[in-house]
Amino acid sequence: MIRFTWLQFRLRASAALAALAAFVVVLAVTGPHLASLYASSAIAGCHGGTCATAAYDFLSRLAITSPYPIVYELGSGLILVTPGIIGIFYGAPLIAREIESRTFALAWTQSITRARWLAVKLAMTGLAAMAVTAVLSLSYTWWADPISKAVGLGGGYNPPFTGGRLSSVIFATGGIAPLGYAAFAFALGTAAGALIRRTVPAMAVTLVIFAVAQITVPLVVRPHLIPPDHKITTIQSAALNFGNLTATVVPGQPGAWIISSAALNAAGHATSALPAACAGATGLKAQSPGPCMTSLGYKETITYQPASRYWPLQWLETAGYLALALAMAGLCFWRVGRRVS
Amino acid sequence: MNLVIDAAGLGKQYGRRWALRDCSAAIPEGKVVGLVGPNGAGKTTLLHLAVGLLAPTSGSIKVLGANPGEDAAQLGRVGFVAQDTPVYPRLSVAAHLRMGAWLNPKWDTELAERRIGELGLDPHQRAGTLSGGQRAQLALALAISKRPECLILDEPVASLDPLARREFHRSLMEVVATQGISVVLSSHLIGDLERVCDYLVVLVASRVRLAGEVSDLVSSHCRLSGPRRDASSLPANQEIIEESHTDRQSTFLVRTADPIHDPAWTARPVTLDDLVIAYMSRPTAPERTGRPTLKVMS
């Protein structure tokens, strides 16, 4: 069954594997030069406060040095969509196409039980999906290492090099999380195909559910995988977004992921409007609302995940997605075992 | 007698609809069995239940004495050719044979290659580009090369042209002659089956209406025609399958083990075709009582 799965898989995987290999080659060719740019920049000899400036200079220059911005964005885009593509084009047809083209009657009447047929198909294709995503995400993480270091030093103000490791997109394209996404998307596609029994509708359902998961998890689930920390700080003009009084950085916690923040007035009520007394302070002296608000008794409350929780959050999210993938696989076994014809 | 298919009270329900309901059938081993019935009679459902592609909703079915598809060994004992003979369109003929070899421990490589050679199929051709007849032959080659004890075919020739049908049946007869395995094949047309079958099962609305050796069935039925008479006047040992009347004349198709003695009748033999159509169109289980019992005086 392993050989037969490979025979069928080979037909449909060659184009995708070629595209992946091409991208890895691009990373391999441009990566060493990126590393040498980093090594020869002012970051190498920086200490204390000069590091942020050096990192800012490095990233500003990189943002206008072809091909780094485009490879950076292409890479993260590719890692974000690969699990979805796997789910849609390898998961959804796995069972649905056998039913649609009636070949299940051929496949399931060979001298091999259906459970074994499905186990081999799921395991081989699923592991291949995870391996492909792992190669992609690891090579990209290696390639982007100088950039993430510079962002970590506080130099990330120029697009596209802005987000820290815990920001939604960077988190989803680094570490081991993409493996979890790939396993989940593949199993989701397969289960959708087994339940709907038609390839194209199963593909559409896979796309919708996976997209919804990718949007809601960073917004709703990831912030609470570990109970977030809270902090009440003094108002610091440099760390405040005056439009709605949210915090832009957590004082003393570089790289922390801010989940929510608000200003508290002297009575302790949350507010998003600049007090009238301080409104006049804007305009000419843009930085002065901070001291003004502080003098009125305002403080800033911040809910956040510290940067040190990157790996615990990665593991938890990946484990969650793998558990969902196993549940989906279980659904496939149940459905196929009930003889879908 | 050992049974290829032994079904008792078998039913399969999809939602609220019963595809097969309360079907009981005992099909003997060592025959070429034709399963005939109109579309929707439940033939495909019955055969899918027999190869384990479906699980019964009610009742039970045994194939060669075991539960269909219960393990790999049982799957290996039954060869199946599905309706419209599906194959993997993007895989070559040779790849299908490799699939067979990999997935069936009893695979007969020599037999498979010989069959493909005899059919003149190019091993490198993609199965999707084969003609309907060639595809059916490939499906048959795959089903027999796993060396099953019985072969089940679901309307294998329904979509083939007459020449391809004859070729397919010739291949099937060769298999039967050389391997001596039990065969069950279905069709909604008796014409597809009468040349190849020696046993016939007529299935109408999940019920077996008629089952038996083809030669017995033909010899135990005859068509009587003569002056107009009422059905109730026929002797009780003549089971009336079909009757038709004009003003002056009556024609009956009857089943009887005994010779026809009434001189008023002209008795003619029936064809298998007539017989099957008569049973298919017969209302369910007619009960007639109070008919005369005739005794042969000697």
Side-chain angles (χ1 to χ4, degrees), chain B residues 4-77:
Chain B
V4 178
I5 295 178
D6 183 8
L10 187 63
K12 173 67 194 175
Q13 193 177 18
Y14 292 103
R16 289 183 163 187
R17 189 179 65 85
W18 287 87
L20 191 74
R21 190 170 200 173
D22 195 22
C23 173
S24 295
I27 300 179
E29 237 179 280
K31 313 266 184 219
V32 179
V33 180
L35 178 64
V36 203
N39 291 324
K43 301 187 297 295
T44 295
T45 306
L46 175 61
L47 296 186
H48 278 201
L49 287 161
V51 295
L53 283 173
L54 291 173
T57 310
S58 61
S60 72
I61 180 167
K62 298 267 182 198
V63 172
L64 300 168
N67 291 324
E70 66 177 354
D71 55 21
Q74 174 68 9
L75 284 162
R77 296 172 74 197

Side-chain angles (χ1 to χ4, degrees), chain B residues 48-115:
Chain B
H48 278 201
L49 287 161
V51 295
L53 283 173
L54 291 173
T57 310
S58 61
S60 72
I61 180 167
K62 298 267 182 198
V63 172
L64 300 168
N67 291 324
E70 66 177 354
D71 55 21
Q74 174 68 9
L75 284 162
R77 296 172 74 197
V78 181
F80 182 55
V81 175
Q83 195 163 8
D84 297 326
T85 58
V87 290
Y88 291 102
R90 295 185 59 186
L91 294 186
S92 67
V93 171
H96 278 87
L97 297 191
R98 283 208 296 282
M99 172 192 80
W102 290 336
L103 301 186
N104 298 284
K106 290 184 290 175
W107 185 257
D108 188 336
T109 309
E110 198 258 334
L111 173 66
E113 284 171 359
R114 194 177 68 233
R115 284 222 59 86

Side-chain angles (χ1 to χ4, degrees), chain A residues 140-154:
Chain A
Y140 179 73
T141 307
W142 163 79
W143 182 91
D145 184 52
I147 296 171
S148 49
K149 271 191 215 150
V151 172
L153 288 171

Side-chain angles (χ1 to χ4, degrees), chain A residues 98 109-111 114 339 341, chain B residues 52-54 75-76 88 104 146:
Chain A
E98 299 273 357
T109 52
Q110 305 300 311
S111 313
R114 227 173 297 176
R339 295 134 200 244
S341 58
Chain B
L53 283 173
L54 291 173
L75 284 162
Y88 291 102
N104 298 284
K146 71 188 255 196

Side-chain angles (χ1 to χ4, degrees), chain A:
Chain A
M1 188 60 211
I2 293 172
R3 285 173 292 185
F4 179 60
T5 305
W6 170 242
L7 180 78
Q8 281 188 302
F9 180 71
R10 208 174 51 187
L11 284 173
R12 304 186 50 245
S14 42
L17 288 176
L20 172 76
F23 186 71
V24 172
V25 166
V26 168
L27 294 181
V29 168
T30 57
H33 188 241
L34 178 58
S36 74
L37 283 180
Y38 182 84
S40 61
S41 73
I43 300 172
C46 79
H47 47 273
T50 67
C51 284
T53 319
Y56 175 76
D57 288 345
F58 167 72
L59 290 176
S60 308
R61 207 162 303 136
L62 201 62
I64 50 165
T65 311
S66 188
Y68 299 107
I70 185 126
V71 174
Y72 184 79
E73 296 202 278
L74 196 67
S76 71
L78 207 56
I79 295 171
L80 284 179
V81 300
T82 296
I85 288 175
I86 289 169
I88 291 168
F89 293 102
Y90 294 89
L94 192 89
I95 294 169
R97 182 157 297 150
E98 299 273 357
I99 296 170
E100 226 167 27
S101 63
R102 319 284 302 158
T103 45
F104 70 90
L106 184 61
W108 298 346
T109 52
Q110 305 300 311
S111 313
I112 172 172
T113 59
R114 227 173 297 176
R116 175 129 174 266
W117 178 90
L118 184 59
V120 174
K121 283 247 166 190
L122 281 178
M124 279 184 68
T125 323
L127 289 177
M130 289 167 73
V132 160
T133 316
V135 166
L136 206 56
S137 110
L138 292 179
S139 54
Y140 179 73
T141 307
W142 163 79
W143 182 91
D145 184 52
I147 296 171
S148 49
K149 271 191 215 150
V151 172
L153 288 171
Y157 290 97
N158 278 301
F161 312 121
T162 49
R165 285 207 300 176
L166 277 171
S167 69
S168 296
V169 171
I170 313 273
F171 185 88
T173 56
I176 54 170
L179 270 74
Y181 305 152
F184 169 67
F186 170 69
L188 170 70
T190 312
L195 292 174
I196 300 170
R197 302 148 52 126
R198 290 193 304 146
T199 307
V200 175
M203 286 175 159
V205 166
T206 305
L207 175 64
V208 169
I209 296 180
F210 185 65
V212 167
Q214 289 292 70
I215 291 165
T216 54
V217 165
L219 289 176
V220 183
V221 181
R222 193 182 301 154
H224 308 289
L225 285 176
I226 300 173
D229 285 355
H230 301 280
K231 195 171 203 168
I232 294 178
T233 69
T234 54
I235 301 277
Q236 296 184 1
S237 297
L240 204 64
N241 178 348
F242 288 107
N244 52 14
L245 301 183
T246 55
T248 54
V249 294
V250 184
Q253 289 282 351
W257 178 33
I258 296 170
I259 293 153
S260 66
S261 62
L264 297 175
N265 62 20
H269 297 301
T271 175
S272 62
L274 203 60
C278 298
T282 51
L284 279 179
K285 293 159 82 183
Q287 301 300 313
S288 43
C292 169
M293 287 171 71
T294 306
S295 70
L296 291 174
Y298 276 78
K299 288 192 181 303
E300 183 76 9
T301 173
I302 309 174
T303 304
Y304 67 100
Q305 294 285 3
S308 59
R309 289 192 186 156
Y310 177 77
W311 281 109
L313 286 173
Q314 279 269 336
W315 280 109
L316 281 171
E317 184 160 325
T318 307
Y321 269 106
L322 287 177
L324 280 177
L326 285 178
M328 293 290 163
L331 204 60
C332 294
F333 276 101
W334 171 76
R335 191 74 191 120
V336 166
R338 276 194 49 206
R339 295 134 200 244
V340 273
S341 58

